[in-house]
Amino acid sequence: MAVLNILSYPDPRLRTIAAPVKQVDDNIKTLITDMIETMYDAEGIGLAASQVDEHLQLIVMDLSENKDTPMVFINPKVTPLVEEKQPYEEGCLSVPEVYDKVERPNKVRIEALDENGDAIDQEAEGLLAVCIQHEMDHLNGVIFVDYLSNLKQNRARDKVKKVLKIREKNLEKQAQPSNV
Ligand code: QAP
Ligand code: CO
């Protein structure tokens, strides 16, 4: 088990297109376990492999209250079931402390494989529908801030830079406990 490094916006590696998973083998199973651990450690509800610099079509998610129901989607295909789009306030582990509304269809069909290589075919609404579309975007190199105005994208870039700097400082403090 390992907590993986999450790439931050605007890292160009987040623009890489993910390749399909060919076989759900032990390497993929280890990656799935590590991604779930990474998502819980960062207090996220969803994580795409692209965000940990693994360019494979793999998504983990946990929308449960007690964070005890991880979901895995391998080689997902998402089809909108409604034309109408609804706004939802999104965030992203790769864009820390930036949140904004994005409009997406709020009912979709999800076809994928699970962690055992078994087929998933389900209809999703609400947060699951929003989250799977957000994570699918990552596999195609798209980040939620791409849907926002240029002004908001620039602000997001500045904000992430600032947050990362503060986090780095806090890590230095932790590493040097004599500096009280
Ligand atoms: C994607 O995002 C999502 O900025 C998953 O400081 C989010 O798990 C889809 C997070 C909302 C739909 C709606 C973000 C944690 C987590 C932050 C996440 C942060 C700490 C984001
Ligand atoms: Co994201």
Side-chain angles (χ1 to χ4, degrees):
M1 299 265 280
V3 172
L4 308 172
N5 178 52
I6 299 175
L7 301 178
S8 299
Y9 178 75
D11 193 309
R13 290 172 289 180
L14 287 169
R15 300 305 183 181
T16 313
I17 307 294
V21 172
K22 286 191 182 147
Q23 259 193 68
V24 185
D25 58 16
D26 284 354
N27 285 333
I28 291 294
K29 286 186 180 179
T30 300
L31 177 58
I32 291 170
T33 310
D34 290 348
M35 282 175 60
I36 292 171
E37 193 181 351
T38 303
M39 173 177 69
Y40 289 149
D41 178 76
E43 295 184 28
I45 58 170
L47 183 71
S50 321
Q51 293 177 272
V52 294
D53 207 18
E54 293 282 351
H55 302 286
L56 291 169
Q57 295 175 12
L58 168 60
I59 292 165
V60 299
M61 219 183 275
D62 191 341
L63 306 180
S64 69
E65 197 144 314
N66 297 326
K67 295 286 163 265
D68 56 3
T69 316
M71 294 183 282
V72 177
F73 301 95
I74 298 167
N75 300 341
K77 190 184 137 206
V78 174
T79 321
L81 295 176
V82 291
E83 260 181 52
E84 183 205 355
K85 292 181 180 181
Q86 280 189 20
Y88 198 102
E89 184 96 349
E90 298 190 13
C92 180
L93 289 172
S94 293
V95 196
E97 290 177 40
V98 174
Y99 310 89
D100 215 323
K101 282 199 177 105
V102 175
E103 297 204 354
R104 304 184 190 270
N106 125 303
K107 199 167 176 203
V108 297
R109 179 181 181 185
I110 309 171
E111 293 164 273
L113 298 178
D114 68 13
E115 66 278 18
N116 301 311
D118 295 329
I120 298 170
D121 187 344
Q122 66 175 113
E123 285 187 13
E125 284 183 274
L127 183 56
L128 177 56
V130 172
C131 202
I132 192 80
Q133 291 176 86
H134 173 114
E135 303 307 338
M136 272 300 288
D137 273 353
H138 279 300
L139 303 183
N140 293 315
V142 175
I143 301 162
F144 85 99
V145 293
D146 298 349
Y147 298 109
L148 308 177
S149 67
N150 281 324
L151 176 64
K152 284 183 170 182
Q153 291 180 32
N154 290 335
R155 282 188 188 149
R157 201 168 294 135
D158 292 346
K159 177 88 188 230
V160 170
K161 213 172 174 180
K162 197 171 132 186
V163 170
L164 293 182
K165 218 176 246 178
I166 292 168
R167 285 188 182 173
E168 212 174 299
K169 247 189 187 166
N170 288 338
L171 283 178
E172 280 168 29
K173 269 195 250 168
Q174 275 188 323
Q176 189 58 266
S178 58
N179 291 349
V180 192

